[in-house]
Amino acid sequence: MEERYEPAVVEKAAQQFWNSARSFAAQEDAARDKYYCLSMFPYPSGRCHMGHVRNYTIGDVLSRFMRMNGRNVLQPMGWDAFGLPAENAAMANHVPPAKWTRDNIAYMRMQLQSLGLAIDWSRELATCDPSYYRWNQWLFLRMLESGVAYRRTGVVNWDPVDQTVLANEQVIDGRGWRTGALVEKREIPMYYLNITRYGDELLEALDGLPGWPERVKTMQANWIGRSTGCEIAFPHADDTRAALASGAGTTGGTLKVFTTRADTLFGATFMAVAAEHPIALAAGARDPALQGFIDECRRGSTMEADVATMEKKGRPTGLHVLHPFTGRKLPVWVANYVLMGYGEGAVMGVPAHDERDFAFASQHGLPIETVVRSKTGAYESVVAPWIDAYGERGITVNSGEFDGLEFEPAVDAIAAALERRGLGRKRIQFRLRDWGISRQRYWGCPIPLIHCASCGVVPVPDAQLPVVLPEDLVPDGSGNPLARSAAFLDCACPRCGSPARRETDTMDTFVDSSWYFLRFASADSTEAMIDARADYWLPVDQYIGGIEHAILHLLYSRFWTRVMRDLGLTKVTEPFSNLLTQGMVLNDIFYSQPAEGRRVFYNPADVDSEEVDGQKRWFHEDSSGKRTPIVHDGLGTMSKSKNNGVDPQSLVEKYGADTARLFMMFTAPPEQSLEWSDDGVLGSYRFIRRLWTAVHAHVAAGGPVPRAAVAGCVGALNGLQKTLRRAAHQTLAKVTDDIGRRRTFNTAIAAVMELLNAVGRFEDRSPAGRAVVQEALEIAVMGLSPMIPHVTHVLWRELGHAVALIDEPWRAADAGALLQDEVVMVVQVNGKLRGEIRVAVDADEATVRSAALANADVQRFVAGGTPRKIVVVPRKLVNVVV
RNA sequence: GCCGACGUGGUGGAAUUGGUAGACACACUAGCUUGAGGGGCUAGCGCCGUAAGGCGUGGGAGUUCGAGUCUCCCCGUCGGCACCA
């Protein structure tokens, strides 16, 4: 055995063994329990960062652990290969997105392989391969047939200078990121998937997912946001009716709203509608000032966070509706915080009992009328000046025949009365909205439709799938290059044969990632989207990915799997049995903002700082010595777009993959977010080297001790030998529990470090002593092997084993080795630690009490007082209360 | 703004079911080693205090014999908010 640990040599040898033995090629085997372990596939951004190392090492630790525990493990890998960054890179470098993407995949595949992951690479897929995305298209057509997919208009960000649709990420402070032009909202036709149809099921099924973190289930439940409320119709007053009849031509006679607080209906003093609402449009047509306000509302962001934080603005339309019970005329306002896409595009304003309505009414001098009082308090007749809205549920007042009711009876009574008049009813409403999948972008899966002048929108026949995306186009930032590609556009109408045009919109990349986990089970199938092998492997037993996917990706995947189930393609309903949400790896974000054009992000490694008047300033100095002042924008997830990733490659080259893996697993538990720092990498490296040295010293001193010889001397160990053996088996039990149940790899590693420290202090070189050391080293090596598979693979051989470590069964701790005769208990006086006692492990409570009271330190603090109470926690603690 | 989480020594973290706060490491300090460069070993290392002891888990209150852990309020940080993935 080499005395020196050489990571490059060790890692090459181990990887060559696994490759030639095909250790990680997964085969369906009905006789064995399968374990499908999946880490979320990466976007091929160019280079891996430490977040990837964390994600894939966690999956690898679990895969290797489960394999050694007898499971038939599948761990595949693929590439989420469509998306916006490829188009941005294409614009910057004048390279087609396809080439950029495939080059990135090649480099990142090499990086992942250098980490020694136990992956079945024969199942690798990329979502930009026609053999993959043809099934997106195929299923989309099935969804159109079943009505799950449908067409309607939706709102997008429009850059008027580039004449192009912008992603939310490309809108910065309301302006296009390249042009700086004020962004406008624009309504265009799009395709939607009817996820709300599955809203109830997606919500209720969360209870059947015990392997998911509570926080994720809570977030999903809140996102779906099922609420019971009332639809209420406010009849148009004469002025509104007249305006609509002459204006937009809309009739219908009422203004509909949805509310969860029908009990406050009598407190409604105004109505607020979205800028795009028919009443707003009709009023705007007659009032240029109002039209100006409506136009202003059209600008600005479509993002909920922006809408929720922007200044609330509104203007009166001059039109009115009638209260459904009192007939009172209520003014209709246009408000920028009411969005057409949510609910009915209109809300009733109840300032006394809603924060936002209160702020709006206060600002515009609208009446505020109390209709709910608290259950406990007296009637709170609140007169001006108002302090705040009373938003709690209470007892109705000033509500005519509905006075004196609690929340639920009030809602029920009001809903029933509305229904009798034909002006409303109870209704269930979801916060969840249907999923718009159309993207006006090139680098995505083409939507398989054809536009024909005579037949309209015609689906591409299955036999003509896939609609292949041309891979040689280079986007330039203005519009979709597909729309300028005659080779793509021109086709014949499948129905009438006349010349027609292809749809140029592509699909949201969330479509690609909503079913890849199913495809891995039948990755080579050319005949079908998935086949019977999916029923063997699915559901995914352990899914691992960043907490940032807690809602969208996971919800879309749950939805998509149900659609496939309902089409008879799979028996699976829930795709992921257990979910581990990995915490984000954070790093500083730095950018400079030129007077014109887009922000430039700087990697933290390229940023310097100085103190000026006690204030820290950041700057970037280029090779010519020119300094650019830089803004520090806090901490954020490592990403390509923020240019704050740390490439693991230099770490791997310097210390080896095992050190990189060990460090990421040791530095924090997996679910916790982590501020990147490489302090401590060296410590992980030194630990591996200590492990190597310990095995080397043991083997050099007389060779490995065979297993039979170890077993032979267990019955006749002396005290110190027994103690080390107990420590070894306690470590094994803890490592098994920490990996298998708790998923706290950091504490598993710490436990092995302690064991190795104990081995280092153990100086007994007798045959029995060497046998105990052999066993302790085997436990250390096996226990760490899921984390540092390469070095442990080699060390296992050196410890005298012919079978490769990855093919060994995981050992169980010997219960006999764990037994103890005595325990140390701590004694508190009034809750403060005062002493220790040593008692037999099975001592009864009376013995423990008297031992505690007899302790000299305890007596000093009891100081003649009488114990009022003595609390005994068996085998742990005694608390004497004086 | 809304939804979800997190906050413990100089640093990363440990404390698994309400029961010894700081395991295991990093950094630092001192010493040893005639293998100078990220070497090895030993010792020290929460704060105040000579000590006895006191204080201490973002801040404030509460429940309990006992709170890092449970409850309430506040502050800060991170993730998500539907076209980044």
Side-chain angles (χ1 to χ4, degrees):
Chain A
M1 176 180 181
E2 297 293 326
E3 189 175 350
R4 253 179 86 90
Y5 166 53
E6 297 279 3
V9 176
V10 163
E11 289 173 11
K12 194 174 166 200
Q15 289 179 15
Q16 274 176 356
F17 173 85
W18 299 322
N19 286 340
S20 61
R22 296 179 49 78
S23 297
F24 308 122
Q27 283 293 320
E28 296 75 29
D29 179 354
R32 292 173 64 203
D33 260 0
K34 59 93 183 180
Y35 188 81
Y36 183 1
C37 184
L38 183 66
S39 295
M40 291 178 186
F41 66 167
Y43 177 79
S45 56
R47 318 201 120 221
C48 287
H49 54 65
M50 298 313 300
H52 292 117
V53 175
R54 194 179 200 193
N55 199 183
Y56 300 120
T57 304
I58 292 167
D60 203 48
V61 168
L62 293 172
S63 292
R64 288 171 178 275
F65 178 78
M66 288 301 173
R67 189 184 190 285
M68 294 176 78
N69 276 279
R71 303 286 287 269
N72 187 24
V73 173
L74 166 61
Q75 182 176 228
M77 181 57 68
W79 308 95
D80 188 13
F82 276 135
L84 200 53
E87 297 199 26
N88 295 335
M91 279 184 255
N93 310 324
H94 307 288
V95 175
K99 177 173 167 39
W100 182 85
T101 301
R102 292 186 205 285
D103 287 351
N104 288 349
I105 288 174
Y107 183 77
M108 289 174 71
R109 182 194 297 117
M110 178 280 289
Q111 287 193 297
L112 293 183
Q113 286 176 342
S114 76
L115 287 172
L117 304 172
I119 285 170
D120 181 354
W121 286 99
S122 71
R123 295 166 189 261
E124 181 182 358
L125 58 82
T127 57
C128 63
D129 292 339
S131 60
Y132 182 82
Y133 67 68
R134 73 174 289 187
W135 300 109
N136 287 356
Q137 296 172 343
W138 181 82
L139 199 78
F140 173 78
L141 295 174
R142 303 291 84 75
M143 288 180 176
L144 270 184
E145 290 160 5
S146 70
V148 171
Y150 64 93
R151 181 175 149 112
R152 70 166 158 87
T153 62
V155 181
V156 295
N157 304 307
W158 179 255
D159 185 319
V161 173
D162 264 346
Q163 294 280 299
T164 201
V165 175
L166 297 179
N168 284 336
E169 189 187 54
Q170 297 171 316
V171 180
I172 293 169
D173 300 333
R175 293 172 183 274
W177 68 336
R178 297 173 76 238
T179 63
L182 278 173
V183 168
E184 297 168 9
K185 293 187 190 114
R186 185 169 270 214
E187 276 204 42
I188 56 169
M190 305 212 286
Y191 286 87
Y192 284 84
L193 304 185
N194 192 190
I195 190 172
T196 51
R197 183 190 285 186
Y198 290 83
D200 265 320
E201 195 195 330
L202 289 167
L203 179 66
E204 278 158 23
L206 289 171
D207 289 337
L209 289 172
W212 280 41
E214 282 307 319
R215 57 174 169 164
V216 175
K217 289 191 277 188
T218 304
M219 281 191 266
Q220 291 218 349
N222 291 340
W223 183 263
I224 295 168
R226 186 191 142 111
S227 59
T228 307
C230 271
E231 189 179 283
I232 303 178
F234 291 75
H236 294 153
D238 292 343
D239 53 5
T240 303
R241 196 173 306 136
L244 286 173
S246 62
T250 312
T251 54
T254 63
L255 172 60
K256 270 194 198 168
V257 302
F258 176 84
T259 177
T260 56
R261 290 300 304 269
D263 59 315
T264 66
L265 176 55
F266 284 77
T269 58
F270 69 98
M271 308 298 288
V273 300
E276 297 86 354
H277 194 279
I279 293 182
L281 298 177
R286 311 184 310 177
D287 176 349
L290 179 63
Q291 188 57 48
F293 177 68
I294 291 172
D295 291 341
E296 186 189 324
C297 291
R298 286 233 172 100
R299 286 193 289 276
S301 171
T302 58
M303 284 182 268
E304 189 190 308
D306 291 341
V307 173
T309 50
M310 73 188 173
E311 190 192 347
K312 309 288 179 286
K313 290 184 183 170
R315 286 187 75 98
T317 59
L319 303 178
H320 297 80
V321 295
L322 304 175
H323 191 283
F325 290 116
T326 65
R328 174 178 170 183
K329 281 176 85 174
L330 302 174
V332 178
W333 286 60
V334 180
N336 63 350
Y337 62 86
V338 182
L339 294 185
M340 204 55 211
Y342 298 73
E344 305 287 345
V347 297
M348 67 175 190
V350 184
H353 304 294
D354 180 274
E355 295 274 352
R356 197 173 56 179
D357 295 345
F358 179 83
F360 193 82
S362 304
Q363 193 186 338
H364 297 290
L366 292 160
I368 299 171
E369 293 173 12
T370 298
V371 292
V372 174
R373 65 168 172 85
S374 70
K375 280 182 203 170
T376 49
Y379 171 48
E380 287 140 27
S381 161
V382 189
V383 286
W386 281 75
I387 308 296
D388 204 353
Y390 178 70
E392 306 297 312
R393 294 175 176 186
I395 309 288
T396 48
V397 294
N398 295 336
S399 298
E401 61 186 291
F402 305 104
D403 271 3
L405 298 176
E406 290 202 25
F407 172 77
E408 271 184 49
V411 170
D412 288 345
I414 288 171
L418 284 168
E419 194 153 9
R420 281 196 298 276
R421 292 164 190 234
L423 292 176
R425 62 192 171 93
K426 268 192 139 176
R427 198 182 81 189
I428 286 166
Q429 164 105 350
F430 290 99
R431 204 188 81 93
L432 179 67
R433 309 199 300 265
D434 278 347
W435 175 13
I437 60 157
S438 296
R439 296 292 179 270
Q440 297 67 47
R441 269 186 258 295
Y442 159 51
W443 189 236
C445 167
I447 294 178
L449 295 171
I450 288 167
H451 298 271
C452 169
S454 38
C455 305
V457 180
V458 182
V460 173
D462 287 356
Q464 291 176 26
L465 296 182
V467 175
V468 176
L469 186 73
E471 295 201 353
D472 55 348
L473 305 181
V474 181
D476 62 3
S478 99
N480 182 345
L482 288 177
R484 300 188 292 267
S485 165
F488 178 79
L489 275 179
D490 296 339
C491 61
C493 171
R495 203 161 285 165
C496 70
S498 51
R501 288 166 50 98
R502 285 195 191 282
E503 170 66 51
T504 57
D505 278 3
T506 53
M507 295 185 197
D508 181 5
T509 55
F510 275 123
V511 168
D512 309 326
S513 56
S514 287
W515 68 281
Y516 74 106
F517 42 88
L518 283 152
R519 183 68 185 175
F520 278 133
S522 13
D524 57 2
S525 170
T526 53
E527 302 305 309
M529 189 172 186
I530 57 170
D531 59 32
R533 291 172 290 174
D535 285 329
Y536 175 76
W537 290 113
L538 272 288
V540 173
D541 294 276
Q542 181 67 60
Y543 198 35
I544 302 135
I547 184 67
E548 80 271 27
H549 293 297
I551 297 176
L552 290 178
H553 162 62
L554 290 167
L555 193 63
Y556 290 147
S557 297
R558 296 179 63 220
F559 159 67
W560 193 280
T561 304
R562 282 169 167 77
V563 172
M564 288 180 66
R565 175 201 64 191
D566 291 347
L567 288 165
L569 296 166
T570 175
K571 299 188 181 97
V572 173
T573 290
E574 284 296 343
F576 314 118
S577 303
N578 295 287
L579 176 67
L580 191 156
T581 47
Q582 166 210 338
M584 304 283 82
V585 181
L586 309 176
N587 203 1
D588 291 300
I589 299 168
F590 293 103
Y591 68 84
S592 65
Q593 178 69 67
E596 282 185 16
R598 48 195 281 199
R599 283 179 182 174
V600 180
F601 288 90
Y602 292 86
N603 194 282
D606 305 326
V607 173
D608 292 307
S609 68
E610 60 185 354
E611 293 258 331
V612 179
D613 303 331
Q615 291 252 311
K616 202 160 191 189
R617 302 259 175 90
W618 287 269
F619 62 89
H620 170 75
E621 189 169 318
D622 66 18
S623 48
S624 66
K626 186 175 159 262
R627 286 187 171 190
T628 310
I630 279 177
V631 180
H632 182 229
D633 196 22
L635 289 165
T637 309
M638 285 190 182
S639 74
K640 177 95 178 171
S641 61
K642 298 278 166 64
N643 189 15
N644 65 342
V646 172
D647 188 339
Q649 218 52 30
S650 64
L651 229 58
V652 171
E653 280 159 21
K654 217 165 178 179
Y655 302 108
D658 281 335
T659 293
R661 295 171 56 122
L662 183 68
F663 175 66
M664 280 314 282
M665 293 301 96
F666 181 58
T667 197
E671 307 223 273
Q672 193 165 310
S673 67
L674 180 61
E675 290 174 31
W676 172 252
S677 157
D678 61 5
D679 291 353
V681 170
L682 194 59
S684 291
Y685 177 69
R686 281 203 292 251
F687 171 67
I688 295 174
R689 202 166 50 192
R690 273 216 312 282
L691 179 67
W692 181 277
T693 307
V695 172
H696 177 263
H698 169 72
V699 172
V705 182
R707 192 128 193 236
V710 174
C713 61
V714 161
L717 300 178
N718 66 28
L720 285 175
Q721 293 163 350
K722 264 191 192 159
T723 303
L724 181 60
R725 182 152 195 269
R726 184 166 66 235
H729 283 267
Q730 276 170 345
T731 302
L732 177 56
K734 177 161 176 60
V735 169
T736 306
D737 188 49
D738 282 354
I739 299 177
R741 180 182 64 90
R742 296 178 67 210
R743 311 279 145 92
T744 53
F745 311 122
N746 55 329
T747 54
I749 293 163
V752 178
M753 286 176 170
E754 285 189 77
L755 176 61
L756 199 66
N757 290 343
V759 169
R761 287 190 299 267
F762 187 77
E763 287 170 343
D764 181 349
R765 298 286 177 269
S766 70
R770 294 196 73 246
V772 171
V773 168
Q774 170 86 24
E775 193 184 29
L777 289 174
E778 286 182 1
I779 284 171
V781 167
M782 177 175 280
L784 290 172
S785 68
M787 281 73 94
I788 46 171
H790 306 92
V791 66
T792 50
H793 170 86
V794 170
L795 291 177
W796 190 252
R797 288 261 150 97
E798 301 293 353
L799 283 168
H801 297 276
V803 175
L805 182 51
I806 189 66
D807 296 320
E808 291 276 9
W810 192 262
R811 286 194 192 164
D814 177 358
L818 298 175
L819 291 178
Q820 253 175 299
D821 325 324
E822 278 193 331
V823 287
V824 174
M825 294 178 71
V826 297
V827 187
Q828 299 177 330
V829 178
N830 291 334
K832 287 188 193 289
L833 180 66
R834 297 302 183 190
E836 280 185 355
I837 54 173
R838 183 175 279 271
V839 296
V841 74
D842 54 355
D844 62 16
E845 198 170 313
T847 313
V848 171
R849 278 165 183 257
S850 49
L853 290 172
N855 182 279
D857 291 317
V858 174
Q859 284 183 349
R860 200 153 55 83
F861 284 92
V862 171
T866 325
R868 217 157 33 90
K869 185 173 178 183
I870 300 178
V871 181
V872 177
V873 181
R875 307 174 70 167
K876 275 196 173 156
L877 165 145
V878 183
N879 187 12
V880 181
V881 186
V882 183

